[in-house]
Amino acid sequence: KFEPTFITPSTEGGKFDLIFILGGQNLNSLGGIYSNNQAVFSGTNLVNLDKNAGNSQFGTTNIVDPEASSLSEIIGQLLPSLSLPFNQDIASNVLTGIFTATSNLQTANATTFEVVANALKAGGQKPASLASAPAAPVPPTLEQPSITFPSTPPPPQEGFDISKVLGAPPQSISANETFTVPPVVSTGIEQKSTLQSSPEEAPQGERAQSENPEADWLTPKIFKSGSIG
């Protein structure tokens, strides 16, 4: 009968025949992976894949392309050239790496588009979050002045105060006081339809004419030169 208590785990180490290093300029850039396992890297075939021109070419096989847009682009070229499987899942991963590194192909070159085309032919899917082109930035606009209209009309302004001109203090009328209209005083002057002139108002040398015309006023009259004057 199998019992877990009968098992004694132990570590004997291991040996690697081939190690791929992606994006490392040198072995020290791997940090603890290299410093804690230097014996593993010693005497092992190292495949160095990088796009940095400052790579120290530390590998047994060095594939360094400074003109590549991303490491995914290098992988997308390397797999078909080695006749390795390039199925839909792998092609989708390559597209995700390329779209992420190039900001949706904004910094891509001609080789990048060739790799993208091959990945799409293999059935690769573009990443959902990066499939659509980024929205163009909205140019800043000048702040428009806002006009606010009052909800209620302002109270009417007070009329002209004559006391401000004459220097007299304004008089306030209490709410309990009443204003009495002054009586109309007759001046004794009456208008008449006809005008009468008194002898005192007549010009000197002239006499006032009677209101009743003479009887022969409408009969024709003949005046001679001798009779004038």
Side-chain angles (χ1 to χ4, degrees):
K1 184 177 178 180
F2 177 78
E3 293 289 346
T5 56
F6 297 155
I7 299 175
T8 303
S10 62
T11 301
E12 295 183 358
K15 182 176 177 57
F16 299 92
D17 298 329
L18 185 65
I19 298 177
F20 289 88
I21 303 173
L22 285 74
Q25 297 187 27
N26 49 56
L27 290 175
N28 293 326
S29 64
L30 302 179
I33 295 178
Y34 172 72
S35 61
N36 298 332
N37 304 278
Q38 295 186 17
V40 175
F41 288 87
S42 178
T44 306
N45 292 326
L46 304 179
V47 180
N48 172 29
L49 292 91
D50 193 17
K51 60 183 286 298
N52 195 319
N55 190 280
S56 62
Q57 307 286 332
F58 59 88
T60 307
T61 302
N62 299 291
I63 304 175
V64 180
D65 185 5
E67 296 182 358
S69 64
S70 61
L71 291 174
S72 296
E73 179 181 323
I74 297 177
I75 298 298
Q77 293 177 286
L78 182 62
L79 294 180
S81 65
L82 297 177
S83 300
L84 295 174
F86 196 60
N87 54 28
Q88 180 179 1
D89 187 24
I90 296 174
S92 298
N93 292 334
V94 169
L95 289 174
T96 300
I98 292 176
F99 272 71
T100 303
T102 61
S103 301
N104 287 0
L105 304 179
Q106 292 186 8
T107 59
N109 51 40
T111 306
T112 307
F113 286 102
E114 292 178 1
V115 176
V116 170
N118 293 333
L120 292 174
K121 290 179 182 179
Q125 300 294 323
K126 293 184 292 184
S129 59
L130 302 174
S132 58
V138 180
T141 57
L142 296 177
E143 183 178 358
Q144 299 294 334
S146 59
I147 302 176
T148 304
F149 295 95
S151 57
T152 57
Q157 298 182 356
E158 298 181 357
F160 179 73
D161 191 356
I162 190 62
S163 62
K164 296 181 180 180
V165 179
L166 300 179
Q171 297 180 358
S172 59
I173 300 176
S174 174
N176 298 327
E177 297 180 0
T178 56
F179 181 76
T180 304
V181 179
V184 179
V185 180
S186 177
T187 58
I189 302 176
E190 299 179 358
Q191 296 182 353
K192 297 181 180 181
S193 58
T194 57
L195 297 178
Q196 296 180 359
S197 57
S198 59
E200 291 81 7
E201 296 177 354
Q204 186 176 3
E206 297 182 3
R207 63 182 181 85
Q209 297 181 358
S210 174
E211 294 181 358
N212 298 324
E214 298 178 358
D216 59 348
W217 174 256
L218 297 178
T219 57
K221 298 178 180 59
I222 298 175
F223 297 92
K224 296 181 181 181
S225 60
S227 61
I228 297 176

